[in-house]
Amino acid sequence: MSMPVLMYHDVVDAGMPDQSGFPGAAAAHYKLDTAHFTAHLHALASSGLHFPSVLAQEASADRTCLLTFDDGGESATRVATLLDRHGMRGHFFITTQRIGTAGFASAAELLALHRAGHVVGSHSHTHPADISSLDHAALAAQWVESRDRLEQILGEPVQVASVPGGFYTHRVARVVAAAGFRYLFTSEPTVAMHSVEACRVLGRYAVWHDTAARDALALATGEGSQRQRQWLSWNLKKPLKRWSRPVYQLVRRRWLGEHS
Ligand SMILES: [Zn+2]
């Protein structure tokens, strides 16, 4: 089984990255301006792919790609309006501690997204710096607290989650599965899926502020070398990340360019 998934974050006015989601330069790297995101959607719509909810029957069909949006920034409503024009469904992963705070979506907005057919899921409660380093109790609390808050807002079971910061481990997935989630999205750039207990784990391809629309299209369709390039870059960085964080940061700046 395989499924291509794109990982977006916020969509903001040009030059105003702090408008939605987490502030700062690192987060801004993942935020597209509205015109650019609109161009992405036009390119994706031209592909002939379907962009359904992972919970829909059609999501298992061929020629499918899933669109996800991390962090829970207030731009979720703007994103959903743009997706609706193309009949696409979004998956919005919410940092539940931030709901209703400056730059983040409110409870009423999340309920509206859910009622419009988009998927509202968990992105942990507080978005810890490295969720995989938490002890069992703290790790479980992140997902249980987040699930409970969303279920209170939506009035329905919440079945979908994404790992903050890309800090996926098998242990994280086991805890997410135990909290009752059926789908967990990681930042591993792969179309391969696997299951951890009753939870299906899906990788995602990252989209950055300067990712060209044609490259997002290539990630969705699998044509060209974009998928392989992300996979190679991720797997090159992975051992470095584990080996030494400062060296990883240096290598990232000096050799790879900031977003390769
Ligand atoms: Zn995040």
Side-chain angles (χ1 to χ4, degrees):
M1 289 273 283
S2 70
M3 176 71 75
V5 187
L6 301 187
M7 176 178 67
Y8 287 91
H9 285 69
D10 288 279
V11 174
V12 293
D13 289 337
M16 299 192 62
D18 289 351
Q19 197 175 50
S20 180
F22 290 105
H29 205 66
Y30 286 95
K31 299 177 184 180
L32 276 69
D33 73 52
T34 304
H36 191 195
F37 181 65
T38 302
H40 276 222
L41 293 187
H42 278 110
L44 294 170
S46 75
S47 67
L49 296 174
H50 303 285
F51 299 89
S53 152
V54 71
L55 299 170
Q57 206 63 44
E58 58 197 297
S60 58
D62 279 347
R63 308 278 304 152
T64 292
C65 175
L66 303 179
L67 301 178
T68 71
F69 301 85
D70 276 5
D71 291 347
E74 68 175 23
S75 68
T77 300
R78 177 190 305 208
V79 168
T81 303
L82 296 169
L83 294 175
D84 289 343
R85 290 182 191 165
H86 297 283
M88 299 168 173
R89 297 292 190 226
H91 303 74
F92 296 92
F93 295 112
I94 312 303
T95 308
T96 43
Q97 190 187 46
R98 302 289 182 134
I99 294 170
T101 65
F104 289 83
S106 68
E109 287 167 336
L110 297 181
L111 181 58
L113 288 177
H114 171 71
R115 288 192 169 151
H118 299 288
V119 179
V120 176
S122 170
H123 194 47
S124 82
H125 186 50
T126 68
H127 206 295
D130 177 356
I131 199 164
S132 67
S133 70
L134 300 182
D135 67 32
H136 181 82
L139 181 56
Q142 283 287 336
W143 297 108
V144 169
E145 177 74 25
S146 183
R147 179 202 67 197
D148 289 351
R149 295 221 182 183
L150 289 175
E151 289 184 350
Q152 241 167 33
I153 292 166
L154 306 178
E156 274 183 36
V158 170
Q159 308 182 74
V160 182
S162 75
V163 181
F167 289 93
Y168 173 82
T169 63
H170 186 75
R171 190 176 72 100
V172 169
R174 280 207 324 269
V175 170
V176 168
F181 293 96
R182 288 176 54 213
Y183 296 92
L184 177 63
F185 292 85
T186 73
S187 303
E188 186 102 18
T190 174
V191 295
M193 273 189 228
H194 69 280
S195 289
V196 173
E197 287 151 31
C199 187
R200 190 151 282 180
V201 179
L202 297 93
R204 295 185 290 177
Y205 295 101
V207 179
W208 291 278
H209 73 102
D210 57 353
T211 299
R214 64 173 180 280
D215 292 340
L217 175 63
L219 289 168
T221 62
E223 285 159 23
S225 61
Q226 287 301 317
R227 286 184 184 174
Q228 290 84 341
R229 287 170 62 170
Q230 269 203 24
W231 186 88
L232 204 64
S233 170
W234 173 267
N235 284 285
L236 179 64
K237 281 189 283 189
K238 203 155 53 173
L240 292 176
K241 221 169 175 175
R242 210 177 293 132
W243 178 42
S244 161
R245 201 158 286 275
V247 171
Y248 159 68
Q249 300 288 2
L250 182 73
V251 168
R252 175 163 146 154
R253 282 199 302 273
R254 295 276 169 84
W255 295 356
L256 299 173
E258 220 194 335
H259 63 271
S260 55

